[in-house]
Amino acid sequence: MNDGNAMLMLNDIFGQEQAIAGIRASWAQQRLPHGMIFSGPAGVGKGTTAGALATLFLCHAPTSDRPCGACPSCRIFPSGNHPDYHVIYRQLARLINPTLKARDITVNVIRDYVLGPAGLTPQMDHGRVFLIEEAELMNANAQSALLKTLEEPRGRTLIILLAESADLLLSTIRSRAQTVRFLPLDDELIRAKLSETGMTARDAADAARFAGGSLGLAHRWLADGIIQHALELEKLLHQGAGSLSGLGPVLKSAGEAYADRQIARDKLASRDQMNRDGISIMLGIGAAVFSRMLKNDNETDDDERICAAIEAFGESGALLDANVNVSLIFQHLAVTLDLLFSPAGVAD
């Protein structure tokens, strides 16, 4: 959310004009709600916007929708150590119980890192902001515990929940917060932003193509090696029948490589879960490859087969979530696609 050097402002947000306009209007009318849900895909600017809004909210002397940059709050915010800006994420559960795998946000995390601080006087005496990342990972008890504070916080408080979809949150949470929707970014914008970092035009185009409108995912997947595996998968799927026996090895390799990188960052992460997460990403990319084929197909006789292939990737993802053996998933998917795209294959 913050690079540790510069103060974030709403003017810094790109590609989300409608969302920023709504936030600016609420601020200008002094109608900013206690609770807000920033809803949209990962990596499209939700977290950056939350940081910019928090900077403005905690500023002691803002001018219009710009923080002053000179007050104690503005001076300390870029360091990442503002005492009244609380970022809540699922791994905080390990500070409570080091043995937890931290797959969701527990009620203990909400009690210790939101409800507790929310009942205290702000250290800089101007308000407090709570940012809950991956808010859809709050379990039901955690969401229920948050309700009263979300509706009637003590003092000047702003609670921002980041979620891929507001619908993944309880209706009681949604009814107590204003939802701001963030949209996927245009591929051209992603390519331009990646190119600004010194990336080659080809690498930028590949990352933008697979990232589904997410600049954050483009950066992350490049760092995690996902884009290289995605290129291998794309090539394999375009080759069609006769080459699909290689599908399992490509998915297996991608999952293992992804798990290796995540374990290197977080020694307590579950290797099996990280492997499945990597495979899940690749299955989503496979479905997206076929979706692009369908978009560019100009209503040929292959439409039915392509739709069936997209469905097959979705079914494989559901089987993965159900903890079905990954080798069986790979085998079933490869056979299904091979039958679909063999010369005599037809979609049922």
Side-chain angles (χ1 to χ4, degrees), residues 63 75 115 151 163 307:
T63 301
R75 290 199 302 269
L115 308 187
E151 185 172 21
C307 288

Side-chain angles (χ1 to χ4, degrees), residues 200-219:
T200 67
R202 180 171 181 175
D203 286 346
D206 287 338
R209 185 167 77 256
F210 291 116
S214 170
L215 179 60
L217 283 185
H219 279 294

Side-chain angles (χ1 to χ4, degrees), residues 240-242 244 302 305 335-346:
L244 293 169
D302 280 337
R305 301 183 191 204
V335 169
T336 300
L337 295 178
D338 200 53
L339 287 172
L340 281 171
F341 294 101
S342 64
V346 293

Side-chain angles (χ1 to χ4, degrees), residues 1-303:
M1 283 173 290
N2 196 311
D3 63 9
N5 297 307
M7 183 173 62
L8 286 170
M9 300 187 190
L10 292 175
N11 285 342
D12 297 325
I13 313 302
F14 54 84
Q16 299 294 348
E17 288 76 15
Q18 184 173 355
I20 299 304
I23 292 170
R24 280 195 169 113
S26 295
W27 176 263
Q29 297 166 13
Q30 298 185 348
R31 296 179 60 186
L32 200 68
H34 297 307
M36 305 184 78
I37 300 170
F38 287 4
S39 172
V44 298
K46 302 192 304 294
T48 306
T49 303
L53 181 57
T55 304
L56 178 63
F57 186 85
L58 295 171
C59 174
H60 293 191
T63 301
S64 184
D65 62 358
R66 297 174 65 90
C68 71
C71 70
S73 177
C74 287
R75 290 199 302 269
I76 197 173
F77 202 102
S79 72
N81 296 311
H82 197 295
D84 296 320
Y85 182 48
H86 306 269
V87 180
I88 292 85
Y89 48 96
R90 56 190 169 89
Q91 288 85 357
L92 286 174
R94 293 188 186 145
L95 298 180
I96 301 170
N97 182 351
T99 64
L100 288 176
K101 296 299 184 183
R103 294 193 182 105
D104 58 7
I105 298 175
T106 65
V107 66
N108 288 334
V109 168
I110 296 301
R111 286 172 178 161
D112 288 3
Y113 295 98
V114 180
L115 308 187
L120 303 176
T121 300
Q123 292 190 41
M124 300 193 77
D125 201 30
H126 190 62
R128 59 174 73 80
V129 176
F130 296 91
L131 172 63
I132 303 179
E133 298 179 343
E134 298 180 293
E136 68 270 19
L137 296 183
M138 285 190 293
N139 59 36
N141 288 336
Q143 293 191 51
S144 295
L146 183 63
L147 288 175
K148 183 176 180 181
T149 300
L150 187 63
E151 185 172 21
E152 297 180 357
R154 174 183 172 183
R156 188 171 181 268
T157 299
L158 174 62
I159 301 174
I160 305 174
L161 289 74
L162 307 186
E164 291 204 9
S165 171
D167 291 339
L168 297 173
L169 298 167
L170 296 178
S171 60
T172 47
I173 290 285
R174 299 197 304 271
S175 68
R176 289 164 171 79
Q178 175 182 310
T179 297
V180 180
R181 303 192 184 282
F182 288 72
L183 303 176
L185 301 174
D186 184 79
D187 280 2
E188 284 192 19
L189 177 58
I190 294 177
R191 287 198 296 270
K193 290 296 180 181
L194 293 175
S195 296
E196 289 175 4
T197 67
M199 189 177 301
T200 67
R202 180 171 181 175
D203 286 346
D206 287 338
R209 185 167 77 256
F210 291 116
S214 170
L215 179 60
L217 283 185
H219 279 294
R220 195 180 315 160
W221 286 358
L222 281 164
D224 286 346
I226 288 290
I227 298 301
Q228 185 58 46
H229 289 290
L231 289 168
E232 295 176 22
L233 178 61
E234 182 182 53
K235 180 179 179 181
L236 188 71
L237 296 179
H238 277 288
Q239 289 173 345
S243 299
L244 293 169
S245 59
L247 182 60
V250 168
L251 295 174
K252 182 175 183 291
S253 175
E256 291 174 347
Y258 181 83
D260 287 342
R261 290 183 181 270
Q262 305 315 307
I263 295 294
R265 295 182 182 129
D266 182 356
K267 302 297 183 184
L268 294 178
S270 164
R271 176 169 291 277
D272 178 68
Q273 185 59 49
M274 293 301 100
N275 182 52
R276 286 178 175 268
D277 286 351
I279 294 169
S280 178
I281 291 171
M282 294 300 293
L283 291 173
I285 288 172
V289 169
F290 278 112
S291 293
R292 284 195 295 274
M293 291 184 194
L294 187 64
K295 182 178 179 180
N296 299 327
D297 201 39
N298 296 321
E299 300 185 0
T300 70
D301 292 339
D302 280 337
D303 283 4

